[in-house]
């Protein structure tokens, strides 16, 4: 780890007052580095430019925003997946507001994420699982999405083989009992959510969120479930997103 203000303080102190000055300048610089969380030159450049480095609680949603935008256009399923992640984490209203802002920030692609990710190595599995869920939410992973997640995994010290296991856990199955549940029909979407055709938007939203919580693959991923069960849960979550989006568009609510 390179503390930039520490280095600058030591150099300035050396020029002004020789070795005692270097020691004092380095000490004061380290205090500033720690207080402002400046662990590298990129973080210092961001701070000098008036743009703070991402906070730890913003990082996940910055990653999701960048993934959603990297193939060109943010889809409704990307937004729904982001909401599902907020629900999974149990964020309160203020935390949700910050998460939405972080998602929008991620879409710009302007943040240097190497240093923030290196600070999160202890949480690498949770971060990368969320990234692969976002990448697969539309049923495919584009080249740009894959390259981004593999790069982030490298910064998190996660081997490529482990990344492939995570990707496979959330990839859609080619066939099976859930593969044709949704189809393209409005009535099938209503049936999947378990709501009547005359249900109010509030009822539909409640049913959707309840089913998302019940079938979320994260509940299985850490419980020793087989990859097949995790894949089934991922597929059902994707179908729920699609069903809800179809009903929402047909009925004209947000």
């Amino acid at each position: 780890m390179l503390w930039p203000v520490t280095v600058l303080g030591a150099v300035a102190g050396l020029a002004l007052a020789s070795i005692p000055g270097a020691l004092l300048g380095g000490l004061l610089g380290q205090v500033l580095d720690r207080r402002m969380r400046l662990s590298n030159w990129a973080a210092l450049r961001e701070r000098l430019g008036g743009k703070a480095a991402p906070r730890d609680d913003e990082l996940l949603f910055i990653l999701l925003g960048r993934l959603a935008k990297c193939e060109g256009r943010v889809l409704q399923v990307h937004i729904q997946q982001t909401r599902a992640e907020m629900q999974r984490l149990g964020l309160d209203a203020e935390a949700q507001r910050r998460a939405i802002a972080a998602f929008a920030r991620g879409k710009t692609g302007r943040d240097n994420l190497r240093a923030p990710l290196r600070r999160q190595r202890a949480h690498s599995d949770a971060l990368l699982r969320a990234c692969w869920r976002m990448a697969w939410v539309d049923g495919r992973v584009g080249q740009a999405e894959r390259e981004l997640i593999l790069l982030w995994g490298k910064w998190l010290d996660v081997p490529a083989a482990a990344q492939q296991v995570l990707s496979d856990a959330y990839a859609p199955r080619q066939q099976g009992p859930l593969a044709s549940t949704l189809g393209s029909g409005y009535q099938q979407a209503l049936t999947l959510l378990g709501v009547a055709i005359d249900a109010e938007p509030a009822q539909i939203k409640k049913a959707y969120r309840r089913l998302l919580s019940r079938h979320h693959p994260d509940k299985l991923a850490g419980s020793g479930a087989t990859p097949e069960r995790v894949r089934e849960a991922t597929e059902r979550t994707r179908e729920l997103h699609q069903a809800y989006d179809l009903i929402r568009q047909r009925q004209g609510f947000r």
Side-chain angles (χ1 to χ4, degrees):
M1 184 176 294
L2 179 63
W3 302 97
V5 181
T6 301
V7 174
L8 293 175
V11 171
L14 182 65
L16 293 173
S18 190
I19 293 178
L23 293 174
L24 179 59
L27 180 61
L28 293 174
Q30 189 171 66
V31 170
L32 289 173
D33 277 326
R34 292 183 181 277
R35 182 166 296 178
M36 294 189 295
R37 300 173 69 182
L38 302 175
S39 58
N40 54 52
W41 293 104
L44 178 60
R45 285 195 298 270
E46 288 181 345
R47 182 58 63 92
L48 292 175
K51 183 179 180 181
R55 292 162 37 123
D56 291 346
D57 60 350
E58 297 173 332
L59 182 58
L60 169 61
F61 294 96
I62 289 175
L63 297 176
L64 297 182
R66 185 168 295 188
L67 279 175
K69 183 66 175 176
C70 73
E71 292 289 326
R73 186 166 66 93
V74 177
L75 305 176
Q76 185 64 32
V77 290
H78 293 139
I79 296 172
Q80 291 169 351
Q81 181 62 28
T82 302
R83 290 172 179 160
E85 294 295 342
M86 289 192 286
Q87 183 180 11
R88 180 180 63 84
L89 293 171
L91 302 186
D92 60 22
E94 176 59 23
Q96 287 185 33
R97 186 192 63 78
R98 291 197 302 269
I100 292 169
F103 181 83
R105 175 175 173 174
K107 290 191 296 183
T108 69
R110 294 173 184 168
D111 285 288
N112 184 339
L113 299 174
R114 183 169 186 165
L117 280 169
R118 286 190 176 278
R119 293 199 304 266
Q120 294 296 311
R121 289 172 180 164
H123 306 290
S124 60
D125 186 76
L127 285 172
L128 291 174
R129 283 185 181 278
C131 287
W132 284 114
R133 284 194 295 269
M134 175 63 83
W136 277 114
V137 73
D138 60 351
R140 57 177 289 277
V141 175
Q143 184 66 24
E145 292 173 308
R146 185 175 298 278
E147 289 177 356
L148 267 181
I149 302 177
L150 290 176
L151 177 63
W152 295 339
K154 182 179 179 181
W155 292 343
L156 287 164
D157 286 339
V158 175
Q163 285 262 54
Q164 189 60 53
V165 171
L166 293 177
S167 174
D168 290 346
Y170 299 104
R173 295 175 303 123
Q174 295 302 311
Q175 52 184 301
L178 297 178
S180 60
T181 301
L182 180 59
S184 58
Y186 180 60
Q187 185 59 52
Q188 288 175 303
L190 293 169
T191 300
L192 185 61
L193 293 189
V195 295
I197 195 168
D198 58 349
E200 295 293 326
Q203 295 175 290
I204 296 168
K205 291 178 182 179
K206 183 176 180 181
Y208 168 62
R209 291 167 181 164
R210 183 180 68 250
L211 289 168
L212 272 185
S213 177
R214 181 185 305 170
H215 294 288
H216 204 288
D218 260 11
K219 291 190 173 182
L220 297 175
S223 63
T226 64
E228 179 66 16
R229 288 190 63 198
V230 174
R231 197 171 294 117
E232 283 188 6
T234 303
E235 185 70 18
R236 176 51 64 96
T237 299
R238 183 178 297 110
E239 291 171 350
L240 289 170
H241 287 328
Q242 293 170 343
Y244 179 74
D245 192 42
L246 177 61
I247 296 169
R248 182 189 60 80
Q249 291 183 35
R250 180 70 66 85
Q251 295 199 12
F253 64 85
R254 294 179 62 84

